[in-house]
DNA sequence: CACAAATAGCACTATATTCGTACTGTTTTA
DNA sequence: TAAAACAGTACGAATATAGTGCTATTTGTG
């Protein structure tokens, strides 16, 4: 179904939650808030940190924070961090595999255009778009945006 | 990787081959030309016929033909014929499943926009676009375009 | 009229991918 | 110095997918 895999979906949810929370949040707190299994959250956060989407703080008061503003992180980046390049088929440019039928195939390169359109669409949507608070997350009410304007590092009130 | 599954990819290739061939073609001929395993081709053609994308002719001189002109068949249709509705996540409208986290999720409905953009992109690409003969299929030379310029409807010489 | 060629439909199996978990090591701060 | 949190690796199980096989039905041809 041109479907994202579950882990990618989770990653977006986690980042969205971080965007809403602001500051630094521990993996276990994110797991509790999103309902995603703890170990899975931890695994994803590690990957996201490696890819530079999040910053990890080790030590006793550690946790993870977004490395950039939510408006500066787009969905395509997130997908690519978890799944690798966006590639609807094996034969598109940038895909990690090669299509064995490539020389015989009737559609030499025509998937590329389709792929590009999709990639562009995904690049155009930012994390901020995904959480814009019109419909705030249910069950975790939080003060109006003004109130939570604390800088990074102020920690989450777990 | 926002990946189509293999069967869907095959379906597009098969339809593209049919578009190039025109008229009626047997499942086994299509298998031979595309390199896709025979039984798999047969299976896909049955599904496509059920969904109305191809017409099936039974009996001795039977086979399959496109039900419409290649310009009137778009990629989204093909994907939906094989995989069901285009849905990047379980929570988008039209998806066949329900997301268990839906009420708690931070991104209530925001996948919908992303999904719509992708769907529109796929709807805009026709089968004809996928085969436009700039780079004809290798290994299966066929007469110049002029020669095969018969109108639609004339097609499957049923 | 009988046979052969082709699709229709169903059910089954094996494979591959993906998901989730567990464990051990490293860093940092109270 | 101990506890809390991240880092990395490796593994097992569940799920989805791909592919196969068989039988029935339709239809043209000799």
């Amino acid at each position: 179904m041109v479907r994202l895999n579950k882990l990618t979906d989770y990653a977006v949810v986690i980042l969205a939650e971080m965007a809403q929370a602001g500051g630094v949040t521990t993996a276990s707190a994110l797991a509790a808030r999103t309902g995603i299994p703890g170990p899975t959250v931890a695994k994803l956060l590690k990957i996201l940190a490696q890819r530079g989407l999040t910053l990890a703080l080790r030590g006793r008061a550690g946790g993870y924070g977004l490395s950039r503003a939510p408006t500066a992180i787009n969905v395509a980046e997130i997908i690519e961090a978890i799944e690798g390049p966006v590639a609807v088929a094996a034969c598109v440019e940038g895909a990690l595999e090669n299509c064995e039928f490539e020389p015989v195939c009737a559609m030499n390169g025509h998937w590329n255009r389709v792929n590009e359109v999709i990639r562009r669409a995904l690049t155009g949507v930012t994390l901020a778009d995904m959480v814009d608070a019109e419909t705030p997350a249910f069950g975790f009410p939080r003060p109006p945006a003004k109130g939570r304007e604390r800088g990074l590092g102020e920690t989450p009130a777990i």
Side-chain angles (χ1 to χ4, degrees), chain A:
Chain A
M1 319 197 185
V2 194
R3 184 66 177 281
L4 295 177
N5 71 31
K6 238 188 220 177
L7 289 178
T8 307
D9 192 354
Y10 287 172
V12 176
V13 172
I14 291 168
L15 289 171
E17 191 63 42
M18 290 173 76
Q20 290 186 326
V24 173
T25 317
T26 65
S28 59
L30 287 169
R33 289 194 213 156
T34 57
I36 300 167
T40 301
V41 172
K43 178 182 182 175
L44 287 169
L45 284 170
K46 284 172 207 170
I47 296 172
L48 293 170
Q50 279 183 332
R51 300 291 188 282
L53 289 175
T54 59
L55 297 174
L57 286 175
R58 302 173 74 141
R60 225 191 116 111
Y64 292 92
L66 295 179
S67 65
R68 282 176 261 154
T71 51
I73 297 178
N74 69 64
V75 174
E77 284 183 285
I78 303 173
I79 294 174
E80 299 193 340
I82 305 293
E83 309 190 1
V86 171
V88 294
C91 57
V92 304
E93 280 176 54
L96 301 177
E97 355 167 30
N98 286 318
C99 176
E100 49 175 323
F101 300 125
E102 202 153 356
V104 193
C105 180
M107 55 197 50
N108 251 317
H110 286 84
W111 277 121
N112 270 329
R113 259 190 309 175
V114 177
N115 202 60
E116 251 319 293
V117 173
I118 291 179
R119 231 191 82 80
R120 197 161 307 152
L122 293 172
T123 306
V125 180
T126 71
L127 190 55
D129 293 328
M130 298 296 285
V131 288
D132 69 2
E134 257 171 51
T135 54
F138 178 76
F140 305 105
R142 61 186 74 72
K146 252 314 177 26
R148 18 196 25 270
E149 210 136 359
R150 54 171 171 199
L152 176 82
E154 199 173 332
T155 323
I158 300 191

